[in-house]
Amino acid sequence: RLPDAYTSYDLSYLKNCKKLRHLNILKPAPRENTNQSILSQLSELECLHVSGDISTAYISNLTKLTSLSIYSRKHIETKHIAKLVNLRTLIIGHIEDIKPLASLTELTYLDLRGNRIKDLSALVKLVKLKYLFLEYSGVANWQILDNCAICNFK
């Protein structure tokens, strides 16, 4: 049983929670701290919300994830997230390259607010997308969205 209020940034208390399905992490330990590797053992996770810095390498094998949100102050590698092909909801900050996200064809909700994105071409492959948030993303060329399935504006 997890404590009601756990104030440590150490994630080692999760090592025996193999059947955990939903997890919210507030301010995880620094990436250099190896206890984040415990996340890779939580193979039943369906929903993961992280507020703080985390290495996405540790979550790349969590293929049952359908919802992922990461609020980080540091750059996030999208190549690891691209392996999470069952994601339906993705909220992510501090990314620049969304090309790897093109493999997430089950996405229906994508929130990329506040990122420094230059190329939106990956969005064309996300045909199930219904909700897209790009405010403050720095996008200069919006023309690619003319061919995007979700952009059937009337």
Side-chain angles (χ1 to χ4, degrees):
R1 173 162 153 63
L2 292 176
D4 292 332
Y6 198 84
T7 56
S8 172
Y9 297 141
D10 182 4
L11 299 179
S12 61
Y13 67 94
L14 294 171
K15 68 182 171 207
N16 294 319
C17 300
K18 307 285 190 218
K19 295 184 180 183
L20 195 64
R21 291 184 184 217
H22 297 267
L23 178 61
N24 293 320
I25 302 173
L26 185 61
K27 295 184 181 178
R31 290 183 189 187
E32 295 77 28
N33 191 332
T34 57
N35 66 5
Q36 286 191 13
S37 64
I38 289 171
L39 292 174
S40 65
Q41 299 171 23
L42 304 176
S43 60
E44 297 298 313
L45 267 185
E46 296 171 5
C47 183
L48 176 61
H49 302 285
V50 180
S51 179
D53 299 332
I54 191 165
S55 171
T56 55
Y58 296 126
I59 63 172
S60 64
N61 70 320
L62 301 179
T63 56
K64 290 188 178 181
L65 275 181
T66 59
S67 179
L68 175 64
S69 60
I70 302 176
Y71 301 97
S72 177
R73 293 171 288 140
K74 295 184 179 179
H75 178 74
I76 296 172
E77 288 288 335
T78 53
K79 67 181 179 184
H80 301 297
I81 294 170
K83 298 175 184 176
L84 305 174
V85 296
N86 289 313
L87 278 181
R88 290 187 191 96
T89 299
L90 177 61
I91 303 168
I92 191 165
H94 279 83
I95 62 171
E96 294 178 11
D97 182 15
I98 65 169
K99 287 178 189 170
L101 303 184
S103 65
L104 304 178
T105 56
E106 295 300 313
L107 276 181
T108 58
Y109 185 103
L110 180 59
D111 188 336
L112 298 171
R113 286 181 261 206
N115 289 291
R116 294 172 292 200
I117 301 166
K118 293 182 171 90
D119 182 8
L120 295 175
S121 60
L123 298 179
V124 173
K125 296 183 180 183
L126 305 180
V127 296
K128 293 185 179 181
L129 205 56
K130 294 180 181 177
Y131 303 95
L132 175 63
F133 300 91
L134 292 167
E135 294 94 337
Y136 309 108
S137 61
V139 175
N141 184 359
W142 296 89
Q143 287 181 322
I144 193 73
L145 295 182
D146 290 344
N147 299 320
C148 189
I150 65 164
C151 298
N152 188 9
F153 298 114
K154 294 191 180 194

